């Protein structure tokens, strides 16, 4: 691709109060193996009050005369991720052809963008111009993790803790409906009018559904990875589960094809238990110890793999909380309108 007229890749990062993580996020993007002239970074701030803006401004000043990609900081009056990504489209130079989705509490390796390009080329050979985006794999962050964050890692690494979505662990390169941290073809996104700003969460999944409906194809590739800082308190974990369930209902009401049977298993289990109880079956209680045994097995498995003894009970606790909060969120999404989350975006 010709970079003589400007960068052809842009990483867009909507943020809100990410002072603890944004420096690591940007440093990873500033030190890539691809040419600095091929890539630019847009930080879209939704009204941070914790020093995020001043820190980004410092990084811009520190790197303005260095051989690193250009960073731009823009105010996002709409506050949400969808507003930020759409606003970024109006700020991007015409030379930008590919847009990478990222968030402020994520980091990437120095080879990330080159791996993104390799994944794009491999996918485009299969799909041609219908290719609208290629996602990547989400992995555990670098460094020592413990406590609740360790339990949450165990939860989302378990088949019981995720469907085939953001935290899915996969191999190779192939088509998908719901890629994570997608690198989109700009013209494809613009052709479906960008992100739906009514979605405070799940806006990326909703966009993927519209792209597929429009006849585009989506891929994912296991080689490029993104590391995320997970929640560090059970209260945050509960809120996240509820929010994901709530907005999953909103996506399903608009795109029923997004439905996954795995996500409804806790609800099916609850209905089964109620049915057995009210029909006065002798062994109506049997699903309870079976469920308990399965989630305890996941806790033991994670504890053996990581050496975290607290995971024996912590992982099952997080699985119960996820299944419960997500299921309540699914029901809540049928009766309420959405509102901005109280924790990070």
């Amino acid at each position: 691709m010709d970079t003589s007229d400007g960068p052809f890749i842009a990483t867009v990062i909507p943020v809100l109060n990410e002072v603890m993580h944004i420096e690591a996020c940007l440093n990873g993007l500033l030190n890539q193996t691809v040419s600095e002239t091929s890539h630019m970074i847009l930080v879209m701030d939704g009204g941070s009050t914790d020093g995020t803006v001043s820190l980004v401004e410092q990084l811009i000043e520190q790197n303005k005369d260095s051989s690193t990609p250009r960073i731009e900081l823009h105010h996002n009056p709409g506050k949400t991720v969808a507003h930020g990504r759409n606003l970024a489209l109006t700020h991007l130079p015409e030379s930008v052809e590919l847009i990478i989705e990222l968030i402020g509490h994520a980091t990437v390796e120095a080879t990330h963008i080159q791996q993104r390009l390799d994944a794009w080329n491999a996918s485009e050979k299969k799909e041609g111009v219908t290719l609208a985006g290629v996602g990547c794999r989400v992995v555990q962050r670098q460094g020592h993790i413990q406590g609740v964050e360790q339990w949450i890692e165990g939860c989302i690494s378990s088949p019981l803790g995720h469907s085939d979505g953001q935290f899915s662990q996969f191999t190779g390169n192939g088509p998908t409906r719901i890629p994570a941290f997608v690198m989109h073809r700009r013209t494809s996104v613009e052709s479906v009018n960008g992100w739906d700003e009514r979605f405070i969460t799940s806006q990326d999944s909703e966009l993927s559904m519209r792209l597929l409906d429009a006849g585009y194809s989506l891929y994912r590739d296991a080689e490029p990875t993104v590391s995320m800082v997970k929640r560090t308190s059970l209260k945050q974990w509960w809120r996240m589960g509820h929010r994901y369930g709530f907005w999953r209902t909103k996506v399903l009401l608009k795109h029923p094809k997004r439905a996954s049977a795995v996500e409804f298993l806790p609800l099916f289990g609850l209905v089964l238990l109620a049915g057995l109880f009210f029909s006065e079956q002798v062994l109506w209680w049997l699903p309870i110890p079976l469920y308990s045994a399965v989630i305890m097995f996941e806790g033991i498995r994670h504890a053996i793999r990581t050496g975290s003894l607290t995971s024996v009970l912590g992982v099952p606790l997080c699985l119960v909380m996820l299944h419960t909060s997500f299921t309540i969120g699914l029901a809540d999404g049928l009766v309420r309108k959405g509102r901005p989350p109280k924790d990070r975006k």
Side-chain angles (χ1 to χ4, degrees):
M1 297 181 180
D2 183 13
T3 62
S4 59
D5 294 328
F8 67 89
I9 305 174
T11 299
V12 176
I13 314 172
V15 296
L16 178 64
N17 295 330
E18 292 283 9
V19 72
M20 297 296 293
H21 309 296
I22 190 62
E23 185 171 10
C25 175
L26 292 178
N27 282 337
L29 291 167
L30 288 170
N31 296 284
Q32 291 291 306
T33 57
V34 298
S35 167
E36 70 275 8
T37 60
S38 65
H39 177 224
M40 68 179 297
I41 305 162
L42 269 68
V43 179
M44 311 299 296
D45 184 75
S48 296
T49 58
D50 67 343
T52 297
V53 171
S54 60
L55 180 54
V56 174
E57 290 174 339
Q58 290 175 27
L59 290 169
I60 292 174
E61 182 65 23
Q62 291 170 9
N63 290 277
K64 68 179 183 180
D65 297 321
S66 62
S67 298
T68 56
R70 180 169 87 250
I71 307 175
E72 292 185 5
L73 173 64
H74 297 281
H75 176 54
N76 170 25
K79 296 185 179 299
T80 71
V81 170
H83 284 95
R85 297 204 197 285
N86 284 335
L87 183 59
L89 290 173
T90 68
H91 289 293
L92 293 175
E94 293 183 3
S95 61
V96 171
E97 301 175 25
L98 301 171
I99 306 170
I100 297 175
E101 298 175 343
L102 210 61
I103 52 178
H105 46 279
T107 56
V108 297
E109 298 294 329
T111 56
H112 181 77
I113 292 181
Q114 183 58 59
Q115 290 172 334
R116 288 275 200 173
L117 291 172
D118 293 342
W120 183 272
N121 292 333
S123 305
E124 195 171 40
K125 284 181 180 178
K126 300 174 185 178
E127 294 294 336
V129 296
T130 65
L131 181 68
V134 181
C136 64
R137 193 161 50 93
V138 180
V139 297
Q140 180 175 309
R141 70 172 177 86
Q142 298 288 329
H144 179 66
I145 62 173
Q146 58 185 351
V148 174
E149 189 178 3
Q150 179 68 259
W151 304 347
I152 291 172
E153 282 288 355
C155 180
I156 61 178
S157 66
S158 165
L160 302 177
H162 65 81
S163 60
D164 190 26
Q166 183 181 48
F167 300 112
S168 177
Q169 296 303 300
F170 59 94
T171 59
N173 171 284
T176 183
R177 294 189 307 158
I178 39 177
F181 293 111
V182 187
M183 182 166 78
H184 284 111
R185 194 191 303 270
R186 179 181 184 172
T187 54
S188 300
V189 172
E190 291 175 336
S191 73
V192 296
N193 300 316
W195 287 262
D196 189 332
E197 294 173 355
R198 293 172 296 179
F199 285 79
I200 296 172
T201 299
S202 299
Q203 67 287 323
D204 298 327
S205 175
E206 193 281 328
L207 173 63
S208 292
M209 292 296 100
R210 279 188 289 119
L211 286 167
L212 292 172
D213 288 344
Y216 291 106
S217 56
L218 295 169
Y219 268 60
R220 64 182 182 181
D221 193 288
E223 192 65 23
T225 60
V226 169
S227 300
M228 283 178 59
V229 177
K230 308 302 190 304
R231 267 61 180 179
T232 56
S233 77
L234 294 176
K235 183 177 181 180
Q236 290 176 332
W237 181 238
W238 176 273
R239 285 178 172 174
M240 190 198 82
H242 179 274
R243 185 163 71 246
Y244 274 47
F246 182 94
W247 287 102
R248 184 58 46 78
T249 291
K250 301 300 185 185
V251 172
L252 293 177
L253 291 173
K254 189 176 180 182
H255 305 282
K257 291 186 293 185
R258 173 63 178 85
S260 170
V262 174
E263 295 174 337
F264 291 94
L265 285 179
L267 180 60
F268 294 156
L270 182 61
V271 171
L272 173 63
L273 184 64
L276 292 173
F277 175 78
F278 286 112
S279 63
E280 298 182 349
Q281 297 294 318
V282 175
L283 298 178
W284 66 267
W285 48 266
L286 187 60
I288 298 176
L290 290 176
Y291 174 73
S292 300
V294 171
I295 62 174
M296 284 299 298
F297 173 78
E298 289 300 303
I300 294 170
R301 189 164 69 93
H302 186 71
I304 293 172
R305 187 169 68 248
T306 63
S308 170
L309 292 178
T310 61
S311 292
V312 172
L313 296 177
V315 170
L317 173 62
C318 286
L319 283 169
V320 171
M321 291 181 66
L322 176 64
H323 296 161
T324 305
S325 61
F326 186 87
T327 301
I328 292 173
L330 286 173
D332 197 13
L334 291 172
V335 297
R336 281 198 311 112
K337 292 184 178 180
R339 61 173 181 263
K342 293 181 180 179
D343 59 346
R344 71 193 184 200
K345 292 290 185 288

